[in-house]
Amino acid sequence: MALAVVPDTGSLRGDLRASLDALMEWLTHPRFSRILPDLVAETARDPELGEFSKAMIGAPRREVAMEMFQRAIERGELPADTDLELALDLLAAPVYWRLIVRAEAAGPD
Protein backbone atom coordinates (compact mmCIF):
# COMPACT_ATOMS: atom_id res chain seq x y z
CA MET A 1 0.00 0.00 0.00
CA ALA A 2 1.47 3.34 -1.03
CA LEU A 3 1.98 5.87 1.74
CA ALA A 4 0.72 8.90 -0.14
CA VAL A 5 0.63 9.50 -3.84
CA VAL A 6 0.32 12.65 -5.90
CA PRO A 7 -2.37 11.93 -8.46
CA ASP A 8 -1.91 14.00 -11.60
CA THR A 9 -4.68 13.10 -14.00
CA GLY A 10 -4.69 16.50 -15.66
CA SER A 11 -7.87 17.73 -13.97
CA LEU A 12 -8.99 18.55 -10.46
CA ARG A 13 -11.95 16.21 -10.83
CA GLY A 14 -9.70 13.31 -11.83
CA ASP A 15 -7.18 14.12 -9.12
CA LEU A 16 -9.93 14.29 -6.47
CA ARG A 17 -11.31 10.94 -7.61
CA ALA A 18 -7.86 9.32 -7.49
CA SER A 19 -7.17 10.88 -4.07
CA LEU A 20 -10.47 9.70 -2.64
CA ASP A 21 -9.93 6.20 -4.04
CA ALA A 22 -6.48 6.09 -2.39
CA LEU A 23 -7.94 7.42 0.88
CA MET A 24 -10.64 4.75 0.83
CA GLU A 25 -8.03 2.05 0.27
CA TRP A 26 -5.93 3.41 3.13
CA LEU A 27 -8.81 3.82 5.60
CA THR A 28 -10.31 0.40 4.81
CA HIS A 29 -7.02 -1.51 4.98
CA PRO A 30 -7.70 -4.42 7.37
CA ARG A 31 -4.98 -3.49 9.87
CA PHE A 32 -5.10 0.27 9.62
CA SER A 33 -8.88 0.50 9.91
CA ARG A 34 -8.66 -1.24 13.30
CA ILE A 35 -5.73 0.86 14.53
CA LEU A 36 -6.81 4.35 13.46
CA PRO A 37 -9.74 4.88 15.88
CA ASP A 38 -7.51 3.93 18.83
CA LEU A 39 -4.67 6.08 17.53
CA VAL A 40 -6.96 9.10 17.24
CA ALA A 41 -8.30 8.54 20.76
CA GLU A 42 -4.81 8.14 22.17
CA THR A 43 -3.52 11.31 20.48
CA ALA A 44 -6.21 13.24 22.36
CA ARG A 45 -4.73 11.98 25.64
CA ASP A 46 -1.06 12.20 24.69
CA PRO A 47 -0.01 15.49 23.06
CA GLU A 48 3.45 14.13 22.21
CA LEU A 49 1.91 11.21 20.34
CA GLY A 50 -0.46 13.67 18.67
CA GLU A 51 2.42 15.77 17.36
CA PHE A 52 4.26 12.65 16.21
CA SER A 53 1.14 11.38 14.43
CA LYS A 54 0.63 14.74 12.70
CA ALA A 55 4.26 14.81 11.59
CA MET A 56 4.37 11.22 10.35
CA ILE A 57 0.86 10.75 8.96
CA GLY A 58 -1.09 13.98 8.68
CA ALA A 59 1.53 16.39 7.36
CA PRO A 60 2.86 14.16 4.54
CA ARG A 61 -0.65 13.39 3.30
CA ARG A 62 -1.65 17.08 3.44
CA GLU A 63 1.49 18.08 1.52
CA VAL A 64 0.56 15.64 -1.25
CA ALA A 65 -2.99 16.95 -1.44
CA MET A 66 -1.75 20.54 -1.33
CA GLU A 67 0.20 19.89 -4.55
CA MET A 68 -3.01 18.68 -6.18
CA PHE A 69 -4.90 21.85 -5.22
CA GLN A 70 -2.02 24.10 -6.25
CA ARG A 71 -1.97 22.47 -9.70
CA ALA A 72 -5.72 23.09 -9.95
CA ILE A 73 -5.15 26.78 -9.18
CA GLU A 74 -2.40 26.94 -11.84
CA ARG A 75 -4.78 25.36 -14.39
CA GLY A 76 -7.49 27.87 -13.49
CA GLU A 77 -9.82 25.23 -12.04
CA LEU A 78 -9.83 26.91 -8.61
CA PRO A 79 -9.60 30.59 -7.72
CA ALA A 80 -6.17 31.78 -6.60
CA ASP A 81 -7.59 32.78 -3.21
CA THR A 82 -8.98 29.31 -2.42
CA ASP A 83 -8.63 28.50 1.28
CA LEU A 84 -6.34 25.49 0.81
CA GLU A 85 -6.33 24.51 4.48
CA LEU A 86 -10.12 24.26 4.41
CA ALA A 87 -10.02 22.42 1.08
CA LEU A 88 -7.61 19.89 2.60
CA ASP A 89 -9.94 19.33 5.54
CA LEU A 90 -12.97 18.96 3.30
CA LEU A 91 -11.26 16.44 1.03
CA ALA A 92 -10.81 13.72 3.63
CA ALA A 93 -13.36 14.63 6.30
CA PRO A 94 -16.50 13.05 4.80
CA VAL A 95 -14.78 9.73 4.08
CA TYR A 96 -13.08 9.67 7.48
CA TRP A 97 -16.34 10.54 9.25
CA ARG A 98 -18.32 7.83 7.51
CA LEU A 99 -15.73 5.06 7.80
CA ILE A 100 -14.04 5.75 11.12
CA VAL A 101 -16.45 7.75 13.26
CA ARG A 102 -19.74 6.24 12.10
CA ALA A 103 -18.26 2.83 11.17
CA GLU A 104 -20.47 2.73 8.07
CA ALA A 105 -19.61 1.23 4.72
CA ALA A 106 -18.64 3.55 1.90
CA GLY A 107 -18.35 2.61 -1.72
CA PRO A 108 -16.76 4.24 -4.71
CA ASP A 109 -19.84 6.38 -5.38
Side-chain angles (χ1 to χ4, degrees):
M1 176 171 46
L3 294 178
V5 295
V6 181
D8 190 358
T9 66
S11 73
L12 177 59
R13 181 182 174 87
D15 291 353
L16 287 172
R17 180 77 230 188
S19 292
L20 289 171
D21 288 345
L23 179 64
M24 285 282 295
E25 182 180 345
W26 187 58
L27 291 177
T28 59
H29 185 277
R31 269 187 253 140
F32 192 73
S33 64
R34 289 192 313 268
I35 293 168
L36 185 60
D38 293 333
L39 178 62
V40 170
E42 199 55 39
T43 62
R45 291 185 281 272
D46 183 343
E48 187 175 327
L49 177 61
E51 289 305 312
F52 180 77
S53 176
K54 283 181 193 175
M56 300 304 294
I57 299 171
R61 296 187 88 73
R62 288 179 78 84
E63 287 173 20
V64 165
M66 182 72 76
E67 291 177 36
M68 176 185 66
F69 286 122
Q70 287 171 334
R71 280 195 313 265
I73 289 171
E74 290 167 10
R75 289 190 300 254
E77 295 175 287
L78 290 175
D81 64 347
T82 297
D83 183 340
L84 295 178
E85 287 299 317
L86 179 59
L88 290 169
D89 290 345
L90 293 174
L91 174 63
V95 176
Y96 174 85
W97 184 263
R98 182 160 182 93
L99 292 174
I100 305 302
V101 176
R102 293 193 60 227
E104 294 289 335
D109 295 333

